[in-house]
Amino acid sequence: MSEPVPSVTFPPAFLWGAATSAYQIEGAVREDGRTPSIWDTFSHTPGKTAAGETGDIAVDHYHRHREDVALMAELGLAAYRFSISWSRVQPTGRGPAVQRGLDFYRRLVDELLAHGIKPAITLYHWDLPQELEDAGGWPERDTAYRFAEYARLVGEALGDRVEQWITLNEPWCSAFLGYGSGVHAPGRTDAAASLRAAHHLNLAHGLGTSALRSVMPVRNSVAVSLNSAVVRTVSQDPADLAAGRKIDDLANGVFHGPMLRGAYPGTLLEATSSITDWSHLRDGDLETIHQPLDALGLNYYTPALVSAASSADASTRRADGHGLSDHSPWPGADDVAFHQTPGERTEMGWSIDPTGLHELIMRYTREAPGLPLYVTENGAAYDDKPDPDGRVHDPERIAYLHSHLSAVRRAIADGADVRGYFLWSLMDNFEWSYGYGKRFGAVYVDYATLERTPKSSAHWYARAARTGELPPLEG
């Protein structure tokens, strides 16, 4: 037998958490004044989700939140990152808040605090009110102002008890999968609209940050969670390096440029000039977007591997890991080919490469010095099944978590200021266009009975959270 892998110890103040999003877990889509979001509409459109599955019930967290919080406490979680359903709080995306909707989140926050769990709120995790989409959605500038109004309403209601706030989760997915490739809600396929959406999401972040700070105590932290890509090239050939730069601009620079530096990359503007003249970028926008952040959230799953495309690579953009579509989520990058990254894979087909997480953390340590970092999503989908005794063993997920948390610890040792880690996800849930076929949870959910069963990875993570030390793995 080989020697055990040495244990890895984290700083005492490191925050151990788990994450979810509203549409993926809440259900209760027609209760207490909630109206449809773009994901309600999209999932009810034939052919858009696996087996036509929807989030109508999801895992019924709306009615089972006390049970779920008790389970979090049993697992020793110090923090829980969840998102607010915009259409539950402000059903039309305009006007006053619906107090019944806010009351659910008040109850959830109170329950978390009563169990000693720190709430972390994400204001937007892809579920735009359908009425705002009907008015044009994120490609329209007004949506950013509607978001600021919504942020103010939620900040006023919960800012006295919740200290950690995130404006947007993965705006890249909202803009480019929602309006470019169409594999996410609202399912539009317009390259120019996707770039306008990206800019207005940036503007929403800036306006929302200001709105939150105008109504909340100064002690509160405001951040954003980006699924910044780790872009690697198949060679150092200048053409491949240029392809890598183009994807890095579209995956990363389009958001962190204005948010962290107050400017879009010039190479991005040049590469997309045949698609848009960027007239939607108005005077003063970059100053509005470039708000000082209190922290930055990084979501990481797998790296990207690209090259310059040849005539034989016409369909290689399908290998980017973001779902199949005849339309690209990479505007202006039809000359870039995506390649399968090597190594073992999760059920999503994503390669397992913890070195990418270390690389990502160190990049932002260099590019945003002094800004605290959180890993706000990281995890893996596997084909988990209960054994005859009803237990769910998932050693692959334990190995995944161990390797990626070890990468986080290496980054801390290398000087990165990483304050916490949020496992994706707390429990199995509705995985967007994949329906219920991909299980990311540390807690198994029987979708017929909605019974929750912590997997072996949940117990492993609970031990890590309680001790601050990764339980060693046997080789």
Side-chain angles (χ1 to χ4, degrees):
M1 180 180 292
S2 59
E3 293 297 318
V5 176
S7 61
V8 178
T9 303
F10 281 76
F14 192 80
L15 192 66
W16 297 85
T20 64
S21 84
Y23 188 72
Q24 292 181 273
I25 67 166
E26 283 182 3
V29 296
R30 299 175 186 87
E31 294 189 32
D32 294 332
R34 185 187 180 279
T35 57
S37 75
I38 55 175
W39 268 98
D40 293 280
T41 303
F42 186 82
S43 65
H44 279 269
T45 302
K48 295 298 187 182
T49 64
E53 291 170 333
T54 75
D56 286 2
I57 298 173
V59 297
D60 198 31
H61 175 71
Y62 192 78
H63 299 112
R64 299 168 184 255
H65 67 278
R66 290 186 175 87
E67 169 191 345
D68 291 338
V69 173
L71 183 56
M72 295 178 218
E74 288 178 22
L75 296 176
L77 296 185
Y80 174 52
R81 177 183 171 228
F82 61 95
S83 75
I84 305 290
S85 167
W86 188 345
S87 56
R88 195 181 296 286
V89 167
Q90 197 186 31
T92 65
R94 302 173 188 274
V98 172
Q99 293 305 313
R100 289 173 297 167
L102 279 173
D103 284 346
F104 166 69
Y105 297 107
R106 291 185 177 107
R107 293 192 299 270
L108 175 59
V109 166
D110 288 346
E111 196 74 15
L112 289 165
L113 293 174
H115 284 81
I117 299 170
K118 188 173 186 175
I121 284 178
T122 302
L123 285 171
Y124 187 73
H125 198 131
W126 308 352
D127 47 355
L128 186 71
Q130 183 61 44
E131 289 199 23
L132 290 184
E133 174 59 25
D134 293 342
W138 286 112
E140 292 299 319
R141 186 178 182 87
D142 185 63
T143 306
Y145 292 93
R146 301 287 67 76
F147 176 80
E149 179 186 25
Y150 156 67
R152 183 186 301 273
L153 292 172
V154 181
E156 286 174 339
L158 299 172
D160 61 330
R161 285 162 292 163
V162 178
E163 295 184 2
Q164 284 194 299
W165 292 76
I166 293 166
T167 54
L168 307 174
N169 180 76
E170 299 186 352
W172 185 88
C173 296
S174 298
F176 297 109
L177 300 183
Y179 295 92
S181 67
V183 299
H184 278 194
R188 289 162 61 180
T189 54
D190 181 333
S194 71
L195 289 165
R196 293 198 306 274
H199 177 65
H200 295 141
L201 283 154
N202 281 328
L203 186 61
H205 161 74
L207 293 168
T209 297
S210 296
L212 286 173
R213 288 186 171 138
S214 72
V215 297
M216 297 197 311
V218 294
R219 69 173 183 273
N220 289 1
S221 167
V222 180
V224 64
S225 285
L226 303 178
N227 56 322
S228 297
V230 175
V231 182
R232 296 169 177 168
T233 58
V234 298
S235 80
Q236 295 299 300
D237 183 276
D240 290 343
L241 293 176
R245 175 57 187 263
K246 184 172 286 189
I247 297 305
D248 189 78
D249 283 345
L250 287 166
N252 302 322
V254 67
F255 296 109
H256 77 217
M259 288 182 184
L260 299 181
R261 291 192 286 275
Y264 285 104
T267 45
L268 170 70
L269 302 182
E270 180 182 355
T272 57
S273 61
S274 64
I275 298 169
T276 177
D277 61 4
W278 287 86
S279 58
H280 51 274
L281 171 56
R282 299 185 184 176
D283 290 346
D285 282 1
L286 292 171
E287 290 79 7
T288 298
I289 297 166
H290 187 210
Q291 298 293 317
L293 289 171
D294 299 303
L296 178 65
L298 300 176
N299 297 356
Y300 173 81
Y301 292 95
T302 191
L305 183 63
V306 304
S307 71
S310 69
S311 58
D313 293 326
S315 64
T316 49
R317 67 186 179 211
R318 292 171 178 250
D320 70 354
H322 294 293
L324 296 180
S325 173
D326 291 331
H327 301 270
S328 174
W330 305 100
D334 287 342
D335 57 346
V336 176
F338 287 82
H339 303 271
Q340 289 279 8
T341 48
E344 296 182 25
R345 302 185 182 284
T346 70
E347 281 293 305
M348 296 294 290
W350 299 341
S351 67
I352 301 168
D353 189 344
T355 67
L357 180 55
H358 178 271
E359 183 179 328
L360 183 67
I361 292 170
M362 298 314 298
R363 172 179 182 169
Y364 283 95
T365 297
R366 294 189 302 272
E367 295 192 3
L371 187 63
L373 305 176
Y374 289 84
V375 177
T376 41
E377 283 187 30
N378 178 238
Y382 289 104
D383 186 19
D384 305 312
K385 293 182 174 66
D387 67 15
D389 296 323
R391 296 172 298 187
V392 183
H393 298 288
D394 57 340
E396 301 93 346
R397 184 173 289 103
I398 292 174
Y400 182 100
L401 294 176
H402 190 286
S403 65
H404 285 75
L405 280 161
S406 296
V408 173
R409 187 63 186 90
R410 287 198 303 276
I412 294 171
D414 289 340
D417 183 12
V418 186
R419 303 280 180 92
Y421 176 96
F422 290 84
L423 165 68
W424 186 271
S425 176
L426 173 66
M427 56 187 142
D428 296 333
N429 54 49
F430 177 76
E431 184 50 37
W432 307 112
S433 58
Y434 294 96
Y436 294 95
K438 307 296 184 185
R439 294 181 178 269
F440 275 89
V443 174
Y444 181 87
V445 178
D446 182 326
Y447 293 125
T449 65
L450 299 179
E451 180 181 0
R452 279 86 156 129
T453 303
K455 304 173 188 178
S456 54
S457 62
H459 297 296
W460 182 92
Y461 190 68
R463 182 176 166 191
R466 289 193 177 96
T467 64
E469 181 176 297
L470 302 187
L473 298 177
E474 295 295 328

